[in-house]
Amino acid sequence: MNVWIVALAAFGGGIVVALLGYFDSKEHFDRRKFGASVIRSLIAGVIWAATYSMSDLPREKILLYAFLGGAGFDVLGNKIASQLGNGSFPFTTTKPKDQITTPTTPTPPTDTGSYTPPGGSAA
């Protein structure tokens, strides 16, 4: 079996998981997060391609395990990156200085002391 087919199976597993995660999140498409999944899937493909020759399994099982391994590698990498505070590893999440906002506390509504009934005027 060709090394590239095994690498492609692992890469495909990671991409499928990334797409399913995007569809499940109902957020706008974030190229940074998807790009991080692509890189993690490429890493999984390289690992599987480098190690598949050590196995004496049938071709179908190798492809299935590579696909599932690529999917698991992306999920695991995403969980680890989110625990470290960067959900899109290996890309950074720093914002430019003009987009940094400071949190503000909401001000309570002020009571004017008058009551206006709906559709009427205050007397």
Side-chain angles (χ1 to χ4, degrees), residues 113-117 120-123:
S114 63
Y115 173 73
T116 305
S121 60

Side-chain angles (χ1 to χ4, degrees), residues 3-4 11 17 25 29 32 36-37 41-42 45-47 53 61-62 67 69 72-73 76 80 86 100 104 106 116 119:
V3 174
W4 295 107
F11 178 73
V17 167
S25 70
F29 184 76
R32 185 176 40 86
S37 290
S41 299
L42 285 172
V46 168
I47 291 170
S53 63
K61 283 189 177 180
I62 290 174
F67 184 84
F73 192 82
L76 185 64
I80 290 172
N86 183 5
I100 296 176
T104 58
T116 305

Side-chain angles (χ1 to χ4, degrees), residues 3 6-8 10-11 39-54 66 69-70 73:
V3 174
V6 176
L8 187 62
F11 178 73
I39 289 175
R40 286 190 294 264
S41 299
L42 285 172
I43 293 170
V46 168
I47 291 170
W48 274 95
T51 60
Y52 96 95
S53 63
M54 296 178 208
F73 192 82

Side-chain angles (χ1 to χ4, degrees), residues 18-39:
L19 288 173
L20 290 175
Y22 161 67
F23 292 138
D24 189 42
S25 70
K26 295 182 180 47
E27 295 177 357
H28 292 290
F29 184 76
D30 189 355
R31 290 181 292 178
R32 185 176 40 86
K33 288 181 182 179
F34 189 75
S37 290
V38 168
I39 289 175

Side-chain angles (χ1 to χ4, degrees), residues 57-111:
L57 292 173
R59 178 179 184 214
E60 294 80 19
K61 283 189 177 180
I62 290 174
L63 292 177
L64 176 67
Y65 292 158
F67 184 84
L68 295 176
F73 192 82
D74 182 48
V75 170
L76 185 64
N78 195 14
K79 294 291 182 186
I80 290 172
S82 65
Q83 291 298 320
L84 295 176
N86 183 5
S88 57
F89 177 78
F91 301 121
T92 60
T93 58
T94 58
K95 290 184 178 182
K97 288 184 179 179
D98 60 339
Q99 291 183 358
I100 296 176
T101 58
T102 57
T104 58
T105 57
T107 56
T110 56
D111 185 19

